[in-house]
Amino acid sequence: MWWYVLKRILQAIVSILGVSTIVFFILHLSSNPVLLMVPPNASAHDIAVLTHSLGLDKPLWVQYLNFLRSLSEGNLGYSYVQSQPALSILLQRLPFTLELACTAFVLSLVIGIPIGMLTAFFRGTWIERLLMPLVLIGQSMPAFWTGILLILLMSVVLKWLPSSGAGGIQSLVLPAVTLASLSMATIARMTRSSFIEELDKEYVKTARSKGAKTFRIMVQHIMRNASIPIVTIVGLEIANLFGGSVVTETIFAWPGVGALTIQSITARDFPVVQAIVLFVSIVYIVINLITELLYVWIDPRIQLGGAKSV
């Protein structure tokens, strides 16, 4: 298994390098960020001086080699706009995104999995007819629309919660619910389909015939066998929560990495955008690796990369 992990780490390095290269060329071929940094009445000489000071007048392949050399030294460059290391700017915003994503993840699990289990076990009853429309709403409604409706109801009409900003638990509720709505619905649907597939198997019928309680059948007998697809979708949703919070953070003026992404792209702040892309890529790769290792722990019969699990 350790050889498999080492091979995946090497593959991850290649993937991150590929993503960084694509983003680097897309950003640098889009436009000159200096045109957004200078005042409207700036002369051509002023633009040329600032372009030279940022190193943007060099050939693109030279800029790319400089980027790779800085990356190998752990230097992600300096922000064109804030004149600070891009990594420092990212780390300043990261705690807000971690707080939001972790809260949304917990909400997705504690609500999504029980709903999926109940709608599978009580198919055709009022429980399924009550819960499934909620799941359908969560999966079909875009995050920006969910956020706006929650602001209108909870902040404008009822005045219970703040509509924007980051200042305590109250300000966390609306963005966390908005971000978790799609993940919660996705996890609920995957849990439901996995449990329905297991409910028709012989070992469940045997447990029922022996008088096992509903809760015991679901938790002790079905949960482990149905957990592989659930773990897969949960891993993907974790990565989506960290990388897909751009819309939610923008709606609620949440000062996280998602809002920083929009600001940096708008200002053509290349070093900060590249730092964010690297961060999101690493999150996706690490989460996928952890998910694959969990497969072996859940079901020891699974062999990673054709090698026997230890």
Side-chain angles (χ1 to χ4, degrees):
M1 185 175 71
W2 293 111
W3 169 246
Y4 176 81
V5 173
L6 178 61
K7 188 168 68 173
R8 288 303 309 269
I9 291 175
L10 294 175
Q11 291 175 350
I13 294 173
V14 174
S15 301
I16 292 172
L17 184 61
V19 171
S20 303
T21 302
I22 293 172
V23 172
F24 176 88
F25 282 102
I26 289 176
L27 287 174
H28 284 74
L29 291 174
S30 60
S31 65
N32 186 358
V34 174
L35 300 178
L36 297 176
M37 299 166 63
V38 297
N41 57 351
S43 64
H45 175 72
D46 295 335
I47 295 174
V49 169
L50 185 55
T51 301
H52 177 73
S53 66
L54 295 176
L56 296 173
D57 57 340
K58 297 179 181 177
L60 193 57
W61 65 272
V62 175
Q63 296 183 48
Y64 178 64
L65 291 179
N66 291 334
F67 165 71
L68 290 181
R69 186 178 66 252
S70 300
L71 187 63
S72 65
E73 298 170 351
N75 180 12
L76 299 180
Y78 281 79
S79 167
Y80 296 158
V81 179
Q82 303 184 46
S83 300
Q84 296 181 35
L87 183 59
S88 299
I89 297 173
L90 175 62
L91 293 178
Q92 290 171 8
R93 299 293 192 95
L94 189 56
F96 294 99
T97 295
L98 287 175
E99 181 183 13
L100 178 59
C102 290
T103 305
F105 176 64
V106 172
L107 286 177
S108 302
L109 284 186
V110 300
I111 297 176
I113 290 180
I115 287 179
M117 294 168 64
L118 290 173
T119 53
F121 208 87
F122 297 102
R123 277 180 295 171
T125 67
W126 65 270
I127 294 178
E128 184 189 32
R129 290 192 289 272
L130 175 67
L131 295 178
M132 284 309 294
L134 299 178
V135 174
L136 183 61
I137 291 173
Q139 195 159 34
S140 59
M141 190 175 292
F144 72 89
W145 187 242
T146 303
I148 291 173
L149 291 180
L150 286 176
I151 289 174
L152 286 174
L153 177 63
M154 305 302 291
S155 302
V156 178
V157 178
L158 300 177
K159 302 185 185 304
W160 287 352
L161 296 169
S163 61
S164 63
I169 295 178
Q170 284 189 330
S171 61
L172 179 62
V173 174
L174 293 184
V177 171
T178 301
L179 186 61
S181 58
L182 177 59
S183 298
M184 178 191 66
T186 304
I187 292 173
R189 290 181 69 88
M190 180 56 71
T191 304
R192 181 176 185 270
S193 62
S194 299
F195 269 66
I196 288 176
E197 185 178 346
E198 295 295 325
L199 281 171
D200 294 330
K201 293 186 176 178
E202 292 299 325
Y203 74 92
V204 177
K205 296 176 182 176
T206 302
R208 280 175 166 165
S209 66
K210 291 183 178 180
K213 300 293 185 183
T214 300
F215 181 78
R216 183 180 176 186
I217 292 175
M218 288 195 294
V219 175
Q220 186 173 342
H221 295 277
I222 300 178
M223 177 61 82
R224 192 178 186 94
N225 294 326
S227 57
I228 292 293
I230 298 174
V231 167
T232 302
I233 201 68
V234 167
L236 292 174
E237 290 303 319
I238 292 175
N240 289 336
L241 289 174
F242 279 98
S245 59
V246 175
V247 175
T248 303
E249 291 186 3
T250 303
I251 293 173
F252 293 97
W254 189 264
V257 176
L260 177 64
T261 304
I262 297 296
Q263 297 166 5
S264 302
I265 292 175
T266 305
R268 302 288 196 277
D269 199 349
F270 297 164
V272 178
V273 175
Q274 289 166 176
I276 294 171
V277 170
L278 276 176
F279 164 71
V280 174
S281 302
I282 292 172
V283 167
Y284 268 91
I285 291 170
V286 170
I287 294 296
N288 283 331
L289 180 58
I290 293 174
T291 302
E292 291 180 7
L293 296 179
L294 279 176
Y295 292 161
V296 180
W297 178 72
I298 294 171
D299 188 351
R301 295 172 299 177
I302 296 178
Q303 297 179 356
L304 295 177
K308 292 183 178 180
S309 59
V310 180

